[in-house]
Amino acid sequence: MSTYVGQNLARPQRHTTRSQRSRQVLGRPCASCGSTRTWVEWRDEHGGEAGEWPYAVCESCGHAAAGRRTTTPHQGPHETAGAEPVDEHDVTAPAADTRPRGERPASARPPRPKATDERVEELLAAAGYNKAITPEVLQDHRRFATHAGKPGLPRWKAAVSVLNAAKGAPEVPHVGEIYAEEKRRREVRRARAVRVREQAEHLADKHALAARDQVARVRAETGEGPTWRELAAALGVKSSLASAMVDALHRRGALTSTKEPRSLTVTPDWPPPSS
């Protein structure tokens, strides 16, 4: 029989003090940082009045998780009524749940709080709902609004888009459409970011020497560097690509700057790219 040490989310918060018992090596990965420098540490519950309890403690990040023991409070650590002695060295950490999120038990996640009437009305207004908002309408859209999350966040925007596209439909869209739209938008953003990065890399290669000359000239005339948008305008680059292009020039070592405004300057002894 072994002592089980792992996080028990159902257990209320305890007020503990360290026990005089020497701690033992656990060696299992920490649930917080993954370090194997973990220990089994016995602590006095409520100042010792409630007995001792095992904790899994990480020496790297300090994370501590209360565990379960096979002994009762009035018994010693190696005494279990009607069972073989407990080996204090034989401890196990909870195994990670590797099942897909949709296959995990519903009890593993807290219930989602239902959207209030005000939140439902806010969602309907954002989606352009122009009919009378009756108690029946609020109740029909409550589950949809609950899964929409908080206003202004990506999931909320996806829910507004889905609800707006379903104008005139006799039924409220399924909540799964919110997550599908959110995923689609996320993939679009990623594809756009890849395109912008590729364009910025090309512009950085094309304008590296001209950008250095422009920054050096502005700094010699004014005593400070140009803004990133001013540099992009001088090179004939669209302002929407200014930040990405200058970032690429920083990665190449052609330019450097700090967080201070107009700190853009050339990097000395920079080898130009070979043509």
Side-chain angles (χ1 to χ4, degrees):
M1 185 176 297
S2 62
T3 303
Y4 178 87
V5 177
Q7 191 172 14
N8 189 345
L9 299 179
R11 186 176 293 116
Q13 184 68 28
R14 293 184 171 87
H15 301 285
T16 63
T17 58
R18 290 192 176 183
S19 168
Q20 298 298 322
R21 187 199 308 268
S22 62
R23 62 181 185 174
Q24 305 293 332
V25 176
L26 174 60
R28 301 286 181 174
C30 172
S32 178
C33 68
S35 173
T36 56
R37 299 177 62 184
T38 50
W39 302 79
V40 177
E41 183 177 279
W42 290 83
R43 298 183 179 181
D44 294 327
E45 298 288 302
H46 298 285
E49 296 179 0
E52 296 180 336
W53 201 271
Y55 281 75
V57 181
C58 177
E59 189 175 293
S60 298
C61 68
H63 176 74
R68 291 200 308 269
R69 63 180 181 182
T70 55
T71 59
T72 57
H74 63 275
Q75 292 174 325
H78 300 288
E79 301 172 1
T80 304
E84 60 184 25
V86 176
D87 184 1
E88 192 171 331
H89 295 78
D90 184 14
V91 294
T92 56
D97 194 343
T98 58
R99 290 175 293 177
R101 186 169 182 174
E103 297 181 6
R104 298 177 190 176
S107 58
R109 63 174 71 99
R112 190 190 305 267
K114 294 183 179 180
T116 62
D117 290 348
E118 292 76 10
R119 181 59 58 82
V120 178
E121 292 178 358
E122 188 175 3
L123 178 64
L124 293 174
Y129 191 85
N130 55 7
K131 298 180 182 179
I133 301 180
T134 63
E136 290 75 14
V137 172
L138 292 175
Q139 188 61 32
D140 291 342
H141 290 81
R142 192 176 308 281
R143 184 167 183 267
F144 189 88
T146 298
H147 284 264
K150 297 181 179 179
L153 298 183
R155 187 167 299 167
W156 173 274
K157 295 178 180 179
V160 170
S161 177
V162 171
L163 200 58
N164 192 17
K167 283 183 179 179
E171 297 182 357
V172 179
H174 191 272
V175 296
E177 297 185 32
I178 300 177
Y179 298 94
E181 175 64 13
E182 183 187 18
K183 180 180 179 181
R184 185 193 68 80
R185 289 173 168 236
R186 184 166 55 247
E187 292 173 349
V188 169
R189 288 195 301 270
R190 288 175 179 172
R192 185 185 299 117
V194 170
R195 291 196 303 269
V196 169
R197 184 181 180 89
E198 291 176 349
Q199 294 175 4
E201 297 286 347
H202 173 72
L203 291 172
D205 291 335
K206 180 180 178 181
H207 297 296
L209 295 177
R212 284 174 58 86
D213 292 341
Q214 177 67 15
V215 171
R217 185 185 64 81
V218 172
R219 182 165 287 277
E221 294 176 355
T222 65
E224 56 186 7
T227 65
W228 293 18
R229 288 184 180 273
E230 289 173 352
L231 176 60
L235 298 175
V237 177
K238 294 187 297 184
S239 60
S240 59
L241 293 171
S243 178
M245 182 192 68
V246 178
D247 278 337
L249 290 170
H250 277 73
R251 289 193 297 271
R252 282 160 172 72
L255 300 177
T256 184
S257 64
T258 66
K259 295 182 179 180
E260 297 297 325
R262 295 188 176 274
S263 61
L264 197 61
T265 185
V266 297
T267 305
D269 303 327
W270 175 73
S274 58
S275 56

